[in-house]
């Protein structure tokens, strides 16, 4: 995954997820507010549930594809974890990424079960989401040993978004349906997505010169850049929210 | 306690506690939901109370046994703490473990008192549990000075589960009966239990070659392993929950 | 901004903001309490809304002025960020400060929209404020590389106030109208303002001798000074509150 | 204050405060529970208020005495802070301690005002208490530069109790009258008090040999000791609570 594509791909996924969630939560908030207008087609419980089922099936599908790709794509471990001849672990990166996908797949599976049966409180889906994000941040946190300064810094900045998502999702367990928390989560998802792209551009520039990964000036620029990404994510979310509300 | 058995024993204890709690909370949640069906035998207040009394008696018994074992087993301090001839503290490990057991015993005692009398708000049992877990994490946190890298890392990972349990138990003081928090606590208890086993296998392998405790590759593998243990704990809890619900 | 004026200016701004907010929240709390007395002129919803619109217009105006000043004042970047001839980022400080102002401008804009339309829940303005303060603290946090000990320490102390404001504003999303949280936020705003002045006096003394920036004694004095600033801010807030209440 | 007495004195103060608070909160909780029995003499609002006034007057008195003692006792600064002849700050320790006392005095003053007038929400007294404890912890935190290992460690352990008290008092702003939080705060106050005594005994042993301040074994023993102090504090609080309840 140490490539431009390896960062652009999850980035795109989180961007799409962020936009989708923003649209979904804006729509539901709007229909909740003016029951009399939009309730005919969109606000009905059944269609909401169908939407959730579709969303989680897609997430489950992509996390399965991601796991398979990490395992069986060119240069993958093909389910081998330990090299017995040289006596060391191999392909640990691929296994870690597959583990991350697995937790998102798990969250989607649980959400599917919750939507189709009534086995457990609905808020469980947010708890599973919080666990998935926490797990992603946890693995990233211990991922960074021995890399160059700028590389470490950019991934650390990513952790603000990831742990922020985990925290907001956990708060949603207790404040379900709070549209502000939902939109904050969407914003952080978009931030994570666009920052993955940024990491790709800085660490593996597809064209143009390499960045100096030890220059402190670059680090300060990158920090500011993160604020801009946050502002951009907030802009996208508010534009979408206003469009849907109208 | 620096042995395979010394880690397998508390690990087994936490595994059993996690499974027991999962069953208990699942059952009570199920009986709360369909009052009309299961209420005849299991849901009655009196039987719940009796169950709690038994559970806490068992915890109290085992923590007493644990304290006595730490003190009087072969190589134990036999209540001696200071070696006056050589002027230094001795058996500090045993005393620290006995202290941990003592706090769990205290939590069980308080819970017993709460169940039999009505002296204080019921939520106190969760507060005592939170204190016991916090104390365990606190002692572990200052336990790790001067050990090898992998040893420190594995015990630090344990702290996520331990402090997580303390936090969830503290939240339960305010959100008592929230089945999601209860199951989250069960999951973390199982995680702690299985991770104790893992620590035992890695640091004191009962058979097979020793692990290289300074290899960074091993550290990354172990981190990922922790995620898998978490996934495993979640699987066990959800399976148990579904079984009991049906 | 590395000058006495560069710290006195934002300091004054936060001092004025703190005093203004204290007056506003005290007044509203007083009118809420004795509806029958003050409701004729001041408590009406319409006048409250007008006040908010004016306040946020002023904030928006000053953040625009601040951004323009950072860009086009003598020695500013004039919208240039990268020096292509020498191949390094330039004027990063000015850009970072402009970014901070931008987030406060954004919060004011959103608040204006919320007051004039009813597009979203009112609590959004506190969330935006929390984001603006968090962003300020975030940029300051990564701002401090390679400075002298006392300089770093004084800016770190500032972070207590900044992140404190972010936290309190975030709590206000859930506890809107809690006068204690509002006054706590005002106190921290005043603290931030007076501390900016203190930083200016210590690091860029307008007259008198320079401070020894590596003396540990100075650091301890400065820490205590921060407590006094906090006490002073609490005094100002309580005096204002009592005056308004009477 | 770097003496045995200098630690025993505040320790005794916190011990007395902890015991007093435990008695007070237990009594009020008991009277709230059985309104019909104890309400004749003790539960009346007026007597509660009188008790609070007395308590806060005593706290105010002692914090004034403390401030004066720090300033004017033998070897005190007598309100001088800067030595102009040698150009350095002097008596910083005394000033820092006086600052701590000042904040507790402030909290008591505010509480007095709240009890006699109805100027602000009652919960403000807990907020002021939280600020006073936070300020104490804050000053201690930056107090420890350049001391020996065991000294630093023992004061760091103290911070668990101090910041714990600040956190619990802050939670009480939102959950006022929750007896568990109140007793938890009492426990931490007792812990702080007895730990001050322990610090005095270890760092400035009144008789017997000096401790080796760099021995890691001592550090581990002291950590465990902290757990025992916590258990002791819990024991005292529960004994008092039960006695008062009966």
């Amino acid at each position: 995954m140490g490539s431009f594509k390896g960062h652009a791909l999850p980035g795109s996924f989180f961007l799409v997820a962020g936009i989708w969630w923003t649209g979904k939560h804006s729509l539901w908030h709007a229909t909740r507010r003016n029951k009399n207008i939009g309730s005919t087609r969109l606000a009905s419980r059944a269609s909401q549930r169908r939407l959730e089922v579709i969303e989680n099936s897609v997430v489950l599908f992509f996390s399965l594809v991601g796991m398979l790709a990490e395992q069986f794509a060119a240069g993958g471990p093909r389910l081998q974890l330990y090299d017995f001849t040289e006596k060391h672990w191999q392909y640990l990166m691929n296994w870690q990424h597959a583990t991350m996908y697995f937790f998102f797949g798990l969250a989607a599976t649980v959400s599917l079960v919750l939507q189709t049966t009534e086995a457990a409180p609905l808020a469980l889906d947010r708890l599973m989401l919080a666990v998935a994000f926490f797990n992603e941040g946890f693995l990233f946190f211990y991922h960074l040993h021995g890399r160059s300064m700028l590389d470490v810094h950019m991934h650390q900045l990513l952790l603000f978004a990831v742990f922020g998502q985990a925290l907001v999702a956990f708060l949603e367990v207790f404040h379900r349906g709070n549209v502000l928390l939902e939109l904050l989560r969407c914003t952080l998802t978009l931030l994570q997505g666009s920052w993955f792209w940024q990491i790709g551009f800085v660490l593996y520039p597809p064209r143009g010169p390499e960045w100096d990964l030890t220059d402190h000036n670059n680090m300060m620029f990158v920090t500011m850049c993160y604020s801009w990404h946050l502002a951009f994510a907030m802009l996208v979310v508010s534009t979408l929210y206003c469009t849907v509300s109208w």
Side-chain angles (χ1 to χ4, degrees), chain A:
Chain A
M1 209 190 191
S3 66
F4 177 72
K5 274 188 199 160
H7 284 90
L9 217 77
S12 309
F13 179 78
F14 281 115
L15 281 176
V16 170
I19 289 171
W20 166 257
W21 278 345
T22 310
K24 188 180 77 173
H25 291 307
S26 303
L27 194 64
W28 289 0
H29 181 66
T31 50
R32 244 180 294 152
R33 285 209 311 181
N34 32 355
K35 280 268 175 67
N36 43 352
I37 301 170
S39 60
T40 41
R41 285 256 306 273
L42 288 158
S44 65
R45 282 252 135 195
S47 65
Q48 278 195 14
R49 190 158 287 189
R50 212 173 314 133
L51 214 65
E52 287 276 22
V53 169
I54 294 169
E55 176 194 319
N56 284 301
S57 306
V58 172
V59 172
L60 183 56
F61 172 73
F62 275 112
S63 65
L64 282 175
V65 166
M67 278 191 276
L68 291 177
E70 289 285 346
Q71 290 291 337
F72 296 106
R78 286 151 210 279
L79 297 180
Q80 261 190 315
L81 179 58
Y82 194 74
D83 185 340
F84 285 96
T85 55
E86 299 198 18
K87 288 183 184 291
H88 67 76
W89 307 101
Q90 55 186 358
Y91 306 114
L92 276 175
M93 285 289 164
N94 295 60
W95 277 95
Q96 289 211 349
H97 297 142
T99 305
M100 292 182 194
Y101 298 151
F102 175 68
F103 271 79
F104 282 103
L106 209 65
T109 311
V110 167
S111 197
L112 273 177
V113 171
L114 290 175
Q115 295 297 338
T116 47
T117 73
E118 295 216 327
L122 259 183
L124 182 55
D125 61 348
R126 297 297 150 83
L127 187 57
M128 293 299 296
L129 206 60
V131 170
F133 279 124
F134 180 83
N135 179 65
E136 189 198 345
F138 168 76
L139 286 177
F140 265 120
F141 183 72
Y142 287 112
H143 212 69
L144 303 172
H145 186 91
R147 301 201 189 174
S148 66
M149 191 180 74
L150 194 64
D151 193 341
V152 168
H153 183 60
M154 290 193 82
H155 282 89
Q156 272 176 350
L157 293 182
L158 195 64
L159 292 181
F160 280 90
V162 177
F163 283 123
Q165 283 168 297
L167 181 69
V168 173
F170 189 70
L171 284 177
E172 279 187 86
V173 173
F174 302 98
H175 297 270
R176 194 183 179 79
N178 184 327
V179 73
L180 293 181
L181 284 180
E182 288 168 346
L183 293 182
L184 184 57
R185 181 161 48 83
C186 297
T187 307
L188 291 172
T189 308
L190 281 174
L191 172 60
Q192 194 188 345
S194 67
W195 194 247
F196 261 119
W197 275 88
Q198 182 76 43
I199 293 179
F201 273 113
V202 170
L203 299 186
Y204 313 97
R207 61 168 169 272
E210 301 271 321
W211 286 53
D212 180 357
L213 298 184
T214 56
D215 184 9
H216 183 253
N217 247 4
N218 278 340
M219 212 170 118
M220 278 189 67
F221 169 70
V222 152
T223 307
M224 184 171 54
C225 228
Y226 196 69
S227 289
W228 294 354
H229 278 257
L230 175 57
F232 168 75
M234 282 157 64
L235 191 78
V236 171
V237 166
S238 53
T239 310
L240 266 171
Y241 175 81
C242 291
T243 315
V244 170
S245 294
W246 288 29

